[in-house]
C-alpha cells in the first residue's frame, strides 16, 4: 500500500499530563503552559490544577480536555442552568461574574494595545444583570421520529443536535416561563413534523412568538395557537417563508420598546439589542461621549432602525442614519414620524460598496457614531476621516475589527480618549465594546 507524507499532520500525545491554569481567555477557556506551548482547556479556571489530555496540537498551541480536576478556584461557582455543559448557548456559567468581565476587559485592552500601541483601560465596565437578561431567543425545532416527540432548544456544543430546553435562566423570566406551555402547544400541532424554529421576544408592549413553519398550517393548528395566544397573552406571528410574516390574529398591536424616553415600534423580524439593560446604558454613554449640542449635525452609520439615531436627534440640529437593510430603514423612518422628529433622514445604502456616490456622503457632519457588524467598518473609515468630525463613537461587537479600524483614525491624528467593555452577553464569549475618539487631545478616561 502506498503511503503519502503529509507535512501538516501532527500526532497528538494522548497521554495524561498535569498542568495549572494561569489565565482565562474571553471564551472562558483556561490557559496553561506545557513544554513551552500554550494549552487551551475548556472548564479550567486560573490557579486550578488538573490532569488533562490533549485533543488537538498545533505548532504554537494545543487544545485539551480535563480528565480530572485536582483543585478548585475560589472563582468557580455552581451554574444556574441544568443544561450547562450540554447546551452550546452559554460557556461560562461556572465562572464568577467578576472574573468573566475582568477577563473580557483585559482581552479588549490587550488587543487595542497590541494593534495600536496605546495602553488604555476598558473600565468602568457597562454591566448587565448576571441572569434574566435576554429579551430575544431563537430555539430550534426538530421532530424526533423514534420518540414521536418534538425537540425544542439550542444546539449542543459543537453539534447540530438540539438540547431539549426546559429552563433557561439567562432568558427574561417572562419568556422562560413560556417554555413549557409553548412546547406543549407546538408538540400538539398536526404540523409538528414541519416546524423550523421559534423565536420568543419580550417587547415593552408584551411577549411575542414568531413560528417558522415549513408547510401551510391547517385551521385546526391555527385554532390551537389562538388558544395559547389568548391564554398566555402572547402575540403570535407565522413565518411561512423568510418574507411572509403574518400575525396569527387580526388586531395584534405592533411590538415596541423604549429607549431614552422614545417609543420605537419594530417588526418581529427587525434586529433589536438582546440585552435591554445594557442597551439603555450604552445609548446613554454614547450621548454623553458625543457631547451633543443644538447646532450639531450627526452621522449614524450602520444605524439599524435608529436605536442611536433617534435619541441623538432629540438634542441636535440634524441627524442622518445610513443602513443596508431596507426594512430597518423603513422602521427608522416610521419611528421618526411617531416621535415627531423632523430633523432625521434615513438612507438605505450598502456601506460595503463605493460610498462616495451615495447621497448622504455629500453632506457635512461634525460628529459621527458607527455600530458595524463583526466585519467592522473598513469601507467607511477613510470617509469618516475626510469628514473631519470633532468626535467619533465606535460601537463594536468584535474587538479585533475595532482595533483594526481604530488605526485609521489614529493615523489621521485622532486621539483614543476612552474605551468601555459592554457586558452584553454574560456567560458567553461574546465581547462587545465602545470607544471614543476625538480630533483634539482630551484627558484619557
Amino acid at each position: 500500500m502506498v503511503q503519502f507524507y503529509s507535512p501538516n499532520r501532527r500526532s497528538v500525545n494522548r497521554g495524561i499530563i498535569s498542568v495549572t491554569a494561569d489565565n482565562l481567555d474571553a471564551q472562558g477557556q483556561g490557559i496553561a503552559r506545557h513544554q513551552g506551548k500554550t494549552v487551551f482547556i475548556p472548564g479550567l479556571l486560573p490557579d486550578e490544577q488538573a490532569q488533562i489530555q490533549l485533543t488537538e496540537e498545533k505548532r504554537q498551541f494545543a487544545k485539551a480536555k480535563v480528565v480530572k480536576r485536582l483543585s478548585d478556584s475560589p472563582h468557580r461557582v455552581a451554574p444556574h442552568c441544568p443544561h450547562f455543559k450540554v447546551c452550546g448557548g452559554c460557556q461560562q456559567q461556572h465562572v464568577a461574574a467578576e472574573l468573566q468581565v475582568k477577563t473580557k476587559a483585559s482581552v479588549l485592552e490587550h488587543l487595542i494595545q497590541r494593534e495600536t500601541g496605546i495602553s488604555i483601560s476598558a473600565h468602568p465596565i457597562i454591566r448587565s444583570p448576571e441572569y434574566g437578561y435576554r429579551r430575544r431567543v431563537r430555539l430550534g425545532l426538530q421532530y424526533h421520529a423514534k420518540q414521536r416527540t418534538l425537540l425544542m432548544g439550542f444546539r449542543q456544543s459543537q453539534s447540530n443536535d438540539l438540547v431539549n430546553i426546559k429552563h433557561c435562566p439567562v432568558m427574561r423570566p417572562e419568556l422562560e416561563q413560556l417554555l413549557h406551555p409553548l412546547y406543549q402547544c407546538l408538540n400538539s400541532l398536526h404540523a409538528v413534523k414541519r416546524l423550523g424554529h421559534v423565536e420568543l421576544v419580550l417587547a415593552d408592549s408584551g411577549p411575542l412568538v414568531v413560528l417558522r413553519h415549513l408547510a401551510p398550517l391547517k385551521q385546526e393548528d391555527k385554532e390551537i395557537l389562538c388558544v395559547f395566544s389568548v391564554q398566555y397573552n402572547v402575540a403570535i406571528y407565522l413565518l411561512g417563508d423568510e418574507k411572509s410574516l403574518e400575525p396569527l390574529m387580526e388586531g395584534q398591536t405592533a411590538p415596541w420598546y423604549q429607549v431614552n424616553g422614545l417609543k420605537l415600534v419594530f417588526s418581529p423580524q427587525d434586529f433589536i439589542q438582546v440585552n435591554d439593560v445594557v442597551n439603555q446604558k450604552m445609548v446613554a454613554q454614547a450621548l454623553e461621549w458625543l457631547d451633543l449640542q443644538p447646532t450639531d449635525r450627526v452621522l449614524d452609520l450602520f444605524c439599524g432602525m435608529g436605536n442611536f439615531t433617534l435619541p441623538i436627534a432629540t438634542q441636535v440640529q440634524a441627524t442622518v442614519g445610513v443602513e443596508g437593510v431596507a426594512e430597518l430603514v423603513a422602521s427608522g423612518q416610521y419611528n421618526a414620524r411617531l416621535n415627531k422628529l423632523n430633523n432625521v433622514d434615513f438612507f438605505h445604502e450598502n456601506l460595503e460598496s463605493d460610498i462616495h456616490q451615495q447621497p448622504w456622503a455629500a453632506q457635512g457632519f461634525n460628529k459621527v457614531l458607527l455600530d458595524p457588524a463583526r466585519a467592522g467598518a473598513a469601507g467607511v473609515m477613510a470617509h469618516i476621516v475626510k469628514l473631519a468630525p470633532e468626535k467619533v463613537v465606535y460601537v463594536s461587537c468584535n474587538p479585533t475589527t475595532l482595533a483594526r479600524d481604530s488605526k485609521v483614525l489614529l493615523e489621521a491624528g485622532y486621539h483614543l480618549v476612552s474605551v468601555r467593555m459592554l457586558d452584553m452577553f454574560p456567560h458567553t464569549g461574546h465581547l462587545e465594546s465602545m470607544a471614543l475618539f476625538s480630533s483634539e487631545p482630551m484627558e484619557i478616561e
Side-chain angles (χ1 to χ4, degrees), residues 48-64:
E48 288 185 339
Q49 186 179 14
Q51 293 177 339
I52 64 170
Q53 186 175 49
L54 299 183
T55 57
E56 182 179 346
E57 192 166 7
K58 303 290 186 181
R59 186 178 302 276
Q60 300 295 333
F61 69 92
K63 297 181 180 180

Side-chain angles (χ1 to χ4, degrees), residues 102-276:
K102 179 182 177 182
T103 299
K104 290 182 182 180
S106 177
V107 169
L108 176 61
E109 292 164 0
H110 172 74
L111 278 171
I112 290 176
Q113 199 282 328
R114 186 186 70 187
E115 295 297 320
T116 69
I118 296 175
S119 179
I120 191 168
S121 172
H123 294 75
I125 294 164
I126 296 180
R127 299 295 296 266
S128 164
E130 190 175 346
Y131 287 97
Y133 66 86
R134 287 196 70 106
R135 64 176 173 181
R136 183 171 208 149
V137 294
R138 174 184 285 200
L139 302 169
L141 299 172
Q142 289 179 351
Y143 184 76
H144 199 289
K146 291 184 178 179
Q147 299 180 5
R148 296 184 179 180
T149 190
L150 181 71
L151 297 178
M152 182 179 82
F154 299 110
R155 304 290 177 189
Q156 294 183 26
S157 179
Q158 299 180 338
S159 170
N160 287 325
D161 295 333
L162 289 182
V163 179
N164 206 31
I165 295 293
K166 298 180 179 179
H167 301 282
C168 183
V170 298
M171 291 171 61
R172 288 284 296 270
E174 300 94 325
L175 297 182
E176 188 187 22
Q177 66 188 13
L178 291 174
L179 286 176
H180 182 62
L182 177 62
Y183 172 80
Q184 289 183 314
C185 173
L186 298 181
N187 198 39
S188 69
L189 299 181
H190 294 88
V192 64
K193 298 179 182 179
R194 299 289 290 158
L195 301 178
H197 63 257
V198 62
E199 286 191 72
L200 288 80
V201 183
L202 184 62
D204 288 358
S205 51
L208 61 101
V209 166
V210 178
L211 177 62
R212 175 79 168 97
H213 54 96
L214 307 178
L217 295 181
K218 296 182 179 180
Q219 186 59 34
E220 302 97 299
D221 282 349
K222 292 184 177 180
E223 291 174 359
I224 292 172
L225 291 169
C226 284
V227 170
F228 175 86
S229 174
V230 172
Q231 183 176 356
Y232 293 96
N233 194 27
V234 176
I236 296 180
Y237 294 82
L238 303 178
L239 188 61
D241 60 47
E242 293 304 325
K243 296 184 179 180
S244 65
L245 185 73
E246 297 178 356
L248 174 67
M249 296 187 290
E250 294 184 4
Q252 288 183 176
T253 302
W256 53 269
Y257 73 92
Q258 288 187 309
V259 60
N260 202 50
L262 301 175
K263 179 179 178 180
L264 272 63
V265 174
F266 64 95
S267 163
Q269 289 182 286
D270 285 349
F271 170 82
I272 63 171
Q273 292 289 353
V274 162
N275 191 322
D276 180 51

Side-chain angles (χ1 to χ4, degrees), residues 21-41:
D22 56 22
N23 211 336
L24 197 69
D25 73 359
Q27 306 301 317
Q29 298 180 112
I31 301 174
R33 317 289 167 179
H34 179 69
Q35 295 181 345
K37 184 175 293 186
T38 300
V39 184
F40 296 97
I41 313 153

Side-chain angles (χ1 to χ4, degrees), residues 1-15:
M1 181 178 68
V2 177
Q3 293 183 332
F4 294 94
Y5 170 69
S6 174
N8 295 322
R9 185 181 299 162
R10 288 185 173 275
S11 61
V12 176
N13 180 2
R14 297 295 180 181

